[in-house]
């Protein structure tokens, strides 16, 4: 039975990893979580345990350390891997490219070597819509070509997909699914887990909720002169719980997929502008938000949203939660971690 699989989650204490852990546990999978906690905290694992009312098997360590990974594979009979462990700040990757290549690409190659050594042949990979760059056509589907990556972060996602393709060619037992996330937002409705940005957040929604909580004076909307209905950038914001559920479906279907190396977009299919998101946050939460329009941010794509038809047709996955759900849950999470009533 597919749900009797024992699954290793690298980066399992991270934003998407922890939400996926909850869904997998609730579907009866046995999990091993690995995380170096460089970008998360133990309280996220505790949150997963509270939501699921189960103890989680957790190993702290770095996935680009082969001795550490080997010890995890040696002591556990792992069937499948979901590889989340990676850094994700576009800006930081421009400042520290080697850190990103070493961590994101290094952990992928180390993990694949360990999988080969221990005969583990299924991997689901956290990819990103960043692989498309500024697409020629939107909604963008999986056959759109990769554009030159705008940042080292984007390049690492392209490289990891390429590495998987090459390994699929070389190892006829291996199966991989790359999930190209659009913009994950929101938090678990229980407010026990959510995004924990280290230092100043670079992503929009944590910035919005921190501004609403009074931790930041104001939000700057980066540019209002783009070719979009209100001039601000357009994105496809997807609730992290919907995203997490897609991993469960990918894991259940991976053995039966026609292609041993598959890719799926994970998005809602709806484009929402940054200014529209800000307005909907205020309307949904009733919290006023101090914001101003500033200059464009270097490297930003003007507009992108997903064609999610392939994931619907092949995985049977569809989003269920709205942007309002996302914004409300993100705000409830922010309030919980700040102790705001
Ligand atoms: C990018 C990638 C995404 C990746 C993510 C990792 C693209 C299209 N998307 O997301 O795949 O997973 O990085 O971090 O390449 N904004 C503001 N003010 C702020 C913060 C953001 O106006 O303070 C705007 C940005 O200009 C952008 C939108 O909000 O238009 C979303 O930004 P962000 O949350 O950082 O995500 P992306 O850059 O879209």
């Amino acid at each position: 039975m597919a749900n009797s699989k024992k699954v290793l989650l690298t980066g399992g204490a991270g934003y998407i990893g922890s939400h996926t852990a909850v869904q997998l546990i609730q579907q009866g999978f046995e999990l091993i979580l690995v995380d170096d906690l460089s970008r998360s905290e133990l309280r996220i694992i505790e949150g997963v345990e509270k939501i699921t009312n189960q103890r989680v098997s957790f190993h702290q360590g770095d996935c680009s350390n082969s001795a550490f990974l080997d010890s995890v594979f040696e002591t556990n009979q792992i069937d499948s891997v979901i590889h989340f462990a990676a850094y994700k700040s576009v800006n930081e990757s421009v400042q520290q490219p080697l850190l990103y290549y070493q961590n994101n690409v290094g952990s992928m190659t180390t993990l694949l070597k360990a999988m080969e050594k221990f005969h583990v042949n299924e991997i689901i990979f956290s990819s990103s819509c960043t692989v498309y760059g500024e697409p020629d056509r939107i909604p963008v589907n999986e056959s759109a070509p990769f554009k030159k990556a705008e940042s080292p972060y984007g390049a690492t996602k392209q490289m990891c997909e390429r590495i998987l393709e090459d390994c699929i060619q070389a190892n006829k037992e291996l199966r991989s699914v790359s999930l190209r996330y659009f913009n994950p937002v929101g938090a678990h409705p229980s407010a026990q887990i959510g995004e924990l940005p280290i230092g100043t957040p670079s992503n929009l929604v944590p910035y919005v909720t921190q501004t609403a909580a009074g931790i930041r004076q104001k939000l700057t909307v980066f540019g209002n002169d783009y070719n979009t209905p209100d001039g601000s950038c357009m994105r496809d914001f997807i609730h992290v719980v919907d995203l997490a559920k897609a991993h469960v479906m990918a894991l259940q279907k991976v053995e039966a997929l026609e292609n041993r190396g598959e890719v799926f977009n994970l998005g809602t299919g709806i484009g929402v502008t940054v200014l529209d998101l800000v307005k909907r946050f205020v309307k949904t939460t009733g919290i006023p938000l101090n914001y101003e329009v500033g200059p464009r941010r270097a490297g930003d794509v003007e507009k992108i949203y997903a064609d999610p038809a392939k994931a619907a047709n092949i995985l049977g996955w569809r989003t269920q939660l709205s942007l309002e759900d996302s914004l409300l849950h993100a705000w409830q999470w922010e309030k919980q971690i700040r102790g705001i009533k």
Side-chain angles (χ1 to χ4, degrees):
M1 248 206 26
N3 291 12
S4 62
K5 279 178 187 168
K6 193 161 182 174
V7 190
L8 169 66
L9 266 60
T10 73
Y15 178 42
I16 302 166
S18 59
H19 286 83
T20 302
V22 167
Q23 297 303 318
L24 289 168
I25 293 169
Q26 289 175 340
Q27 293 298 315
F29 288 90
E30 197 181 332
L31 303 190
I32 315 287
L33 264 61
V34 158
D35 203 297
D36 65 0
L37 297 183
S38 63
R39 302 288 159 110
S40 188
E41 294 175 14
L42 262 186
R43 66 168 139 163
I44 296 292
I45 308 257
E46 288 158 10
V48 172
E49 291 180 334
K50 272 191 202 146
I51 296 167
T52 59
N53 204 20
Q54 275 194 38
R55 295 291 297 171
V56 167
S57 168
F58 172 60
H59 301 256
Q60 185 173 351
D62 177 353
C63 290
S64 47
N65 176 338
S66 64
F68 165 70
L69 265 194
D70 282 1
S71 74
V72 173
F73 279 93
E74 246 154 35
T75 49
N76 296 280
Q77 192 69 44
I78 292 162
D79 299 303
S80 313
V81 178
I82 310 186
H83 182 42
F84 296 103
Y87 293 153
K88 65 155 196 173
S89 163
V90 172
N91 191 30
E92 185 183 48
S93 79
V94 174
Q95 308 299 325
Q96 297 186 67
L98 292 176
L99 179 72
Y100 273 67
Y101 288 116
Q102 193 161 23
N103 187 58
N104 293 9
V105 181
S107 65
M108 176 59 111
T109 54
T110 310
L111 173 65
L112 286 166
K113 271 194 192 161
M115 287 176 63
E116 195 170 68
K117 187 167 167 187
F118 292 92
H119 310 290
V120 177
N121 288 316
E122 280 179 17
I123 178 166
I124 315 288
F125 170 58
S126 272
S127 190
S128 166
C129 72
T130 196
V131 298
Y132 297 120
E134 182 85 58
D136 295 326
R137 257 184 312 207
I138 46 171
V140 63
N141 69 30
E142 291 82 350
S143 55
F146 284 9
K147 294 281 181 65
K148 185 179 180 301
E150 294 275 358
S151 68
Y153 161 78
T156 68
K157 292 296 174 190
Q158 292 184 341
M159 284 176 192
C160 286
E161 284 204 22
R162 172 67 200 264
I163 290 167
L164 280 175
E165 269 175 41
D166 292 343
C167 291
I168 291 282
Q169 287 301 320
N171 174 359
K172 303 294 176 216
E173 301 296 312
L174 188 65
R175 292 185 159 264
S176 78
V177 174
S178 292
L179 299 175
R180 294 176 180 162
Y181 310 149
F182 282 66
N183 286 59
V185 289
H188 195 270
S190 65
Q192 296 291 348
I193 55 171
E195 194 165 6
L196 265 189
I198 305 287
T200 310
S202 56
N203 293 114
L204 178 63
V205 171
Y207 220 104
V208 166
T209 54
Q210 288 195 9
T211 307
I215 294 155
R216 316 222 155 255
Q217 253 193 347
K218 60 174 178 260
L219 168 81
T220 303
V221 172
F222 298 137
N224 66 351
D225 56 352
Y226 287 100
N227 181 23
T228 60
D230 60 24
S232 62
C233 289
M234 183 178 275
R235 295 288 183 273
D236 185 335
F237 299 98
I238 170 168
H239 197 297
V240 65
V241 171
D242 277 333
L243 196 73
K245 287 180 178 168
H247 295 73
V248 180
M249 291 172 151
L251 208 53
Q252 287 166 329
K253 296 259 164 84
V254 58
E255 277 165 275
L257 293 176
E258 206 177 313
N259 294 331
R260 283 191 298 111
E262 259 299 7
V263 294
F264 294 103
N265 281 345
L266 297 182
T268 64
I270 301 165
V272 172
T273 64
V274 173
L275 281 168
D276 190 24
L277 179 141
V278 168
K279 284 183 193 136
R280 286 162 75 173
F281 178 85
V282 173
K283 197 165 171 211
T284 307
T285 61
I287 308 291
L289 199 69
N290 187 20
Y291 73 90
E292 64 173 16
V293 174
R296 291 181 174 199
R297 180 172 73 174
D300 266 339
V301 164
E302 180 171 86
K303 50 185 169 215
I304 186 163
Y305 54 92
D307 175 349
K310 188 176 171 190
N313 294 338
I314 299 182
L315 298 178
W317 172 83
R318 282 177 185 79
T319 57
Q320 294 165 320
L321 297 162
S322 67
L323 180 60
E324 278 66 26
D325 294 323
S326 297
L327 297 172
L328 197 62
H329 295 153
W331 176 231
Q332 285 165 348
W333 164 245
E334 187 73 55
K335 284 200 294 184
Q336 197 271 110
I337 54 176
R338 308 289 167 198
I340 299 170
K341 292 280 167 230

